[in-house]
Structures are given as C-alpha cells and as structure tokens.
Amino acid sequence: MNLPNILTFSRVPLVFVIVGLLYLPLTGAATLAWICFVLGGLTDWLDGYLARKQGIVSDFGKLMDALTDKIFILGLLISLLVMDMIPVSWGLPCLLLILSREFLITGLRLVAANAGVVLAAEQSGKLKTVSQILAVGLLLISKAFELDFGLLWLACTISKLGLAFFVLATVLTVYSGASYLRTHWGLFTGQIK
C-alpha cells in the first residue's frame, strides 16, 4: 500500500468523522467538520499528484480514487439529507436520481473496462461533480456559521446557495448520465466489443 492509495482510502473514514462532528454538541465541531471536508478534497488532489510524480499510477488506484470520491460525496449528501440540511420532500427524489446515475455509470464503466474500452470523463460529468462538491461544502459551512458563530442570516443565505447547487447537481447528474448512455449504449447492447 503506497501513500497515494492511503490518501485515497482516507476519504472513507473521513465521512464518518465529518458526520460525527456535525452531531457533536460542541462549539467549533461544525467548523471542524467543514475543515475535514476541505482536507478530504485536498487528499483527492494530492493522491493523484503523488501517484503521477512517483510514477505509480495504476488501474487499481484510478478505480479506488473514483470509488472513494463517490463514497465521500454521496455519503455526505445522504447524511445531510438525514440531518434535515437538505429537505426530504424534494431532496430524497433528487438524491435517488444521483445514486441511480452513479450506479448506472459505474456499471457502464465496468462493462467498458471488460471490453477493453476506457471511458473518459465527460465535461458534463465534471460539472456535475463540481456542483456536488460545492453543494456539500456550502451546506457544511452554513452549519458552521449557524452553530459556531451564531450568524443565522449568513447561514440561511449560504444554505440556500448550497441547496441551489444541489438542485443543479441533480440536473447535471441526469444530463450527464443520459449523455454517457447515449454515447456508449453499444457497450450495454454488445454492439461495441
């Protein structure tokens, strides 16, 4: 196990740390949760940088990086929904769309890999990921402003912005999923081998 892979795997327990901090009734815990989220993002950048610099980029590392990214972001989105930071009434259907797309595209990537085809990330997928990260980051920092600094007006404004990015992420998720399927449908039907 090399350092880039350790950094990659560190994002999984970090989800539990962040959620635990959000439940901890101590001043500063929500801010620390947000800092841990930022650290998780830095490990995502650093693992790839170190793997390239050390010449140890591997298929395993690429697969695990993508998988831990999904666990990290989706785990936090589910937790934010459970904690009522995302309204369940419309947030749950959005989250189910996001989860369905992620499983479907991961399955498509596995089918493609089995056929010896590498599916490059599309621009819409990258925009989807950025909007998900912004949604989670904004919702987490809004909780810090509310609980740790007592700035309710700022927390409310940032929370609404985070929810807007969550909705945008859902739209981009559906669009990018449809785009991947349209482009690579032949892999599912066996027409591309």
Side-chain angles (χ1 to χ4, degrees), residues 143-186:
K143 192 52 89 173
F145 281 126
E146 175 191 342
L147 298 177
D148 298 338
F149 301 101
L151 299 171
L152 298 181
W153 63 271
L154 185 56
C156 183
T157 302
I158 293 174
S159 176
K160 287 178 182 174
L161 186 58
L163 292 173
F165 272 106
F166 177 67
V167 171
L168 177 63
T170 304
V171 171
L172 290 171
T173 295
V174 171
Y175 175 79
S176 68
S179 176
Y180 273 104
L181 289 176
R182 185 175 53 252
T183 304
H184 304 289
W185 186 251

Side-chain angles (χ1 to χ4, degrees), residues 5-178:
N5 286 343
I6 291 170
L7 289 171
T8 296
F9 284 117
S10 73
R11 288 194 293 282
V12 175
L14 207 50
V15 172
F16 296 94
V17 171
I18 293 167
V19 173
L21 285 167
L22 289 173
Y23 277 106
L24 199 62
L26 293 174
T27 301
T31 301
L32 193 53
W34 181 78
I35 291 169
C36 287
F37 174 74
V38 172
L39 288 175
L42 290 174
T43 65
D44 189 22
W45 169 80
L46 188 58
D47 62 3
Y49 172 79
L50 290 175
R52 288 186 298 276
K53 186 171 183 179
Q54 297 172 2
I56 53 175
V57 174
S58 66
D59 289 338
F60 174 79
K62 290 178 193 175
L63 174 68
M64 293 316 298
D65 183 57
L67 187 59
T68 57
D69 286 349
K70 290 181 190 334
I71 293 169
F72 186 66
I73 292 296
L74 294 174
L76 288 173
L77 284 172
I78 291 167
S79 300
L80 295 175
L81 183 80
V82 169
M83 298 175 81
D84 290 327
M85 293 171 68
I86 298 172
V88 174
S89 59
W90 58 266
L92 182 58
C94 289
L95 192 53
L96 289 173
L97 283 170
I98 291 170
L99 286 168
S100 298
R101 182 265 188 206
E102 295 301 347
F103 283 121
L104 188 62
I105 299 307
T106 298
L108 179 63
R109 286 184 186 279
L110 291 173
V111 170
N114 192 42
V117 177
V118 176
L119 299 185
E122 294 182 358
Q123 188 65 28
S124 60
K126 292 177 184 179
L127 291 172
K128 176 263 316 174
T129 301
V130 169
S131 59
Q132 287 176 347
I133 291 167
L134 286 171
V136 172
L138 288 166
L139 290 169
L140 288 175
I141 195 71
S142 75
K143 192 52 89 173
F145 281 126
E146 175 191 342
L147 298 177
D148 298 338
F149 301 101
L151 299 171
L152 298 181
W153 63 271
L154 185 56
C156 183
T157 302
I158 293 174
S159 176
K160 287 178 182 174
L161 186 58
L163 292 173
F165 272 106
F166 177 67
V167 171
L168 177 63
T170 304
V171 171
L172 290 171
T173 295
V174 171
Y175 175 79
S176 68

